[in-house]
Amino acid sequence: MRFSLSQVVWQGLKGNVGWRPQWPAAEPKRAYEVVIVGAGGHGLATAYYLAKEHGITDVAVVERGWLGGGNTGRNTTIIRSNYLYDESARLYDHAVKLWEGLSQELNYNVMFSQRGVMMLAHNVHDTQSFQRHIYANKLNGVDNVWLTPEEAKDYCPPLNIDPSARYPVLGAALQRRGGTARHDAVAWGYARGAAQRGVDIIQNCPVISIARGADGRIKGVETGRGFIGAKKVAVVVAGATTTVMETAGVTLPLQSHPLQALVSEPVKPVFPCVVMSNAVHAYISQSDKGELVIGSGTDQYVSYVSRGGLHIIEHTIAAINELFPIFSRMRMLRSWGGTVDVTPDRSPIIGLTPVPGLYVNCGWGTGGFKATPGSGHVFAHTIARGEPHDINAPYTIDRFKAGRLIDEAAAAAVAH
Amino acid sequence: MLLIRCPYCNDELPELEYSYAGEAHVDRPPDPASLDDEAWRDFLFVRRNPRGLHLERWRHAFGCGRFFNAVRDTATDEVIHTYHAGEPRPDLEKFDRGAS
């Protein structure tokens, strides 16, 4: 069923009893050409582009829990591409360009809103580093402009630009093409698009191990619902990557950390854009439901608990209250955590592994949501052709051996 | 928030007293010049990331200031045991309660 205004009116007149499930609950077949492990945004996007761009429809997406229930459903939905290095700018801007047409392409409203992402500079280092980013972005065709404190306040009226503030605002970098999207809708839209093209989405089906034949090639995956054969297996499981890949004998330079976010009670529209502050480590936007969506930093230690310490949230809220004093008496509704997999250079790994037929897309750390369409697009290309797309060619596992890092961690202007 | 016992102060205190310092028992290469690229990668970038018992370094930053090692279950965040820096790697089977 194609969604449209006339469908909404027609179904409404019929009492809304004609809507059908958007994708079937598939039972696992004995074997597939490609098995994708993990039905988050990246995995579902991969399946969608495999079917649409490469004609590979004999695909299963297997998921331990429910579709989009991991980090896809837990992030703060910020989208931007103002990264320093050429490799990053290409990858993330590829994603932003896909975001711009995604609702139309999927016939699914992902509520992509280019309301602008503003990153605040609080000290001389921030100012210099952001201006360097702005020039680097311009060279890569990524929009990013410098705002004075007054211009920043114009763009985001709740901002406190008093020079005597605890965190004085010396200026800001604004990417107008940045913004937010509805995270669940992204997973649902890709799931529907993939299922329409013949992809099986199998939920409540944990992958226990990856099976390899005597020749070392991939045979399939052992799951909670039996063995599923596959010529190619693609692992897209974020925080659980280490444990899944170990079963295939592949060690990756990843560490899993808790990352938290929280939302306030809903209020009327008050906050027109996304604001990030790396120096105080807080980011904030307002959802269409009216809740302020606030993101924190990671806990310092390795953990799979998806919880995180309360002091991390306290620190974030303290900073938010200094930057936006009008929010000081708002109540927070709920907070939650997820498990993110972080690489040493804070850039993802997208591509081949030492095991023939096994592919991995991981290491997105704290900033994978924004890349969802681009990540799925280039990863599908990698799986279909057996070699990386031009854009993800630098994102190999081998870069840690070669020393050719994409060191956005050292670039330090992003809270990722 | 984690509760961690400093083995020097012998006091169980909240995590805020401490700072995390990564995996424990990572030895510097005795002869760095002899290492190939793969060994350097492993030393610089590859750390254990287990779902279960993890040996890790902590520093009692707002107390005695000393580094020590801990055994923590990353599936529950429970700090099971702490011991002095320089002590040998403990036998993990002793702590494994089948939780992971």
Side-chain angles (χ1 to χ4, degrees):
Chain A
M1 180 189 288
R2 243 192 106 71
F3 294 141
S4 63
L5 178 63
S6 51
Q7 273 289 350
V8 172
V9 174
W10 174 237
Q11 296 292 345
L13 288 173
K14 291 199 302 180
N16 283 318
V17 293
W19 300 109
R20 293 280 164 265
Q22 295 176 28
W23 56 86
E27 285 299 313
K29 288 193 283 189
R30 282 178 55 194
Y32 293 88
E33 190 173 341
V34 180
V35 166
I36 296 170
V37 185
H42 290 239
L44 292 164
T46 306
Y48 172 80
Y49 290 115
L50 267 178
K52 178 174 170 262
E53 307 255 315
H54 305 282
I56 300 174
T57 56
D58 187 21
V59 177
V61 186
V62 294
E63 165 60 45
R64 173 177 65 181
W66 65 96
L67 178 162
N71 294 345
T72 298
R74 295 164 194 249
N75 65 83
T76 49
T77 78
I78 297 170
I79 294 163
R80 62 188 177 85
S81 60
N82 52 353
Y83 282 71
L84 180 64
Y85 291 113
D86 296 353
E87 297 90 341
S88 315
R90 290 188 68 200
L91 176 64
Y92 291 101
D93 211 49
H94 180 53
V96 169
K97 284 175 186 149
L98 289 170
W99 277 115
E100 285 170 340
L102 196 61
S103 290
Q104 286 73 24
E105 171 168 355
L106 294 176
N107 177 232
Y108 208 96
N109 187 3
V110 299
M111 297 164 84
F112 179 48
S113 158
Q114 290 178 300
R115 56 185 69 182
V117 173
M118 195 163 79
M119 300 171 89
L120 302 177
H122 299 294
N123 50 46
V124 173
H125 173 83
D126 279 356
T127 308
Q128 292 172 343
S129 154
F130 284 5
Q131 294 196 344
R132 181 183 174 210
H133 273 66
I134 288 169
Y135 291 124
N137 289 159
K138 277 190 180 149
L139 289 172
N140 280 314
V142 174
D143 71 303
N144 200 1
V145 292
W146 179 254
L147 303 183
T148 62
E150 291 73 26
E151 288 168 338
K153 172 118 183 131
D154 257 4
Y155 199 76
C156 183
L159 182 64
N160 176 20
I161 56 165
D162 186 342
S164 66
R166 170 74 181 82
Y167 306 108
V169 175
L170 304 186
L174 171 66
Q175 185 180 22
R176 287 199 167 82
R177 284 165 66 232
T180 57
R182 171 88 201 279
H183 47 6
D184 297 324
V186 176
W188 297 336
Y190 274 124
R192 174 169 165 267
Q196 279 172 349
R197 288 168 174 80
V199 172
D200 281 356
I201 297 163
I202 304 158
Q203 303 180 71
N204 298 311
C205 182
V207 166
I208 297 157
S209 65
I210 295 168
R212 297 170 63 180
D215 59 350
R217 274 201 73 86
I218 283 297
K219 264 173 46 186
V221 289
E222 197 64 61
T223 76
R225 292 164 71 175
F227 180 79
I228 304 175
K231 289 197 192 108
K232 294 176 177 178
V233 170
V235 175
V236 203
V237 293
T241 306
T242 304
T243 43
V244 173
M245 292 299 282
E246 263 173 4
T247 66
V250 178
T251 305
L252 293 166
L254 294 173
Q255 298 261 276
S256 295
H257 292 274
L259 177 67
Q260 299 174 81
L262 62 158
V263 293
S264 72
E265 58 189 337
V267 290
K268 288 194 172 174
V270 61
F271 204 79
C273 58
V274 180
V275 172
M276 307 180 60
S277 168
N278 300 312
V280 298
H281 215 138
Y283 27 108
I284 176 167
S285 63
Q286 189 174 18
S287 75
D288 293 331
K289 274 193 289 184
E291 300 164 331
L292 294 178
V293 183
I294 297 169
S296 268
T298 55
D299 281 87
Q300 43 183 348
Y301 48 82
V302 168
S303 173
Y304 289 84
V305 178
S306 292
R307 199 162 47 212
L310 186 65
H311 62 284
I312 304 280
I313 289 182
E314 273 187 308
H315 174 80
T316 301
I317 292 295
I320 294 283
N321 280 341
E322 290 286 345
L323 294 171
F324 308 102
I326 63 163
F327 295 146
S328 63
R329 279 191 276 175
M330 276 184 84
R331 284 162 296 192
M332 293 298 136
L333 266 193
R334 55 184 191 278
S335 73
W336 62 91
T339 306
V340 298
D341 51 330
V342 180
T343 58
D345 61 0
R346 301 296 187 276
S347 289
I349 297 169
I350 318 164
L352 284 64
T353 68
V355 178
L358 180 63
Y359 301 83
V360 71
N361 185 348
C362 66
W364 289 95
T366 61
F369 176 74
K370 66 173 81 69
T372 304
S375 158
H377 187 259
V378 298
F379 195 41
H381 179 105
T382 308
I383 297 165
R385 308 276 179 91
E387 59 181 32
H389 188 284
D390 211 25
I391 289 176
N392 67 317
Y395 291 88
T396 58
I397 302 174
D398 277 348
R399 72 176 187 266
F400 298 99
K401 195 171 89 184
R404 199 178 173 78
L405 305 185
I406 306 163
D407 206 348
E408 290 291 344
V414 284
H416 272 294
Chain B
M1 184 174 304
L2 307 182
L3 282 175
I4 304 170
R5 175 169 293 276
C6 172
Y8 296 103
C9 305
N10 206 18
D11 212 354
E12 191 167 68
L13 296 162
E15 177 195 340
L16 287 178
E17 293 265 331
Y18 303 91
S19 56
Y20 179 70
E23 188 181 347
H25 304 288
V26 177
D27 296 330
R28 280 174 175 273
D31 180 14
S34 68
L35 260 54
D36 61 5
D37 288 353
E38 251 169 62
W40 270 119
R41 174 200 61 198
D42 291 348
F43 173 65
L44 291 173
F45 298 127
V46 179
R47 294 290 178 269
R48 291 199 66 236
N49 189 27
R51 188 187 178 94
L53 298 181
H54 189 231
L55 299 176
E56 57 197 24
R57 301 167 77 220
W58 286 84
R59 180 170 175 261
H60 195 177
F62 295 101
C64 63
R66 299 175 82 172
F67 282 93
F68 59 90
N69 294 334
V71 182
R72 186 172 53 90
D73 188 340
T74 64
T76 62
D77 274 353
E78 186 187 357
V79 179
I80 294 166
H81 177 61
T82 55
Y83 54 101
H84 291 191
E87 280 181 30
R89 175 191 291 266
D91 179 13
L92 287 186
E93 279 179 23
K94 199 170 69 178
F95 304 111
D96 204 350
R97 285 170 263 172
S100 55

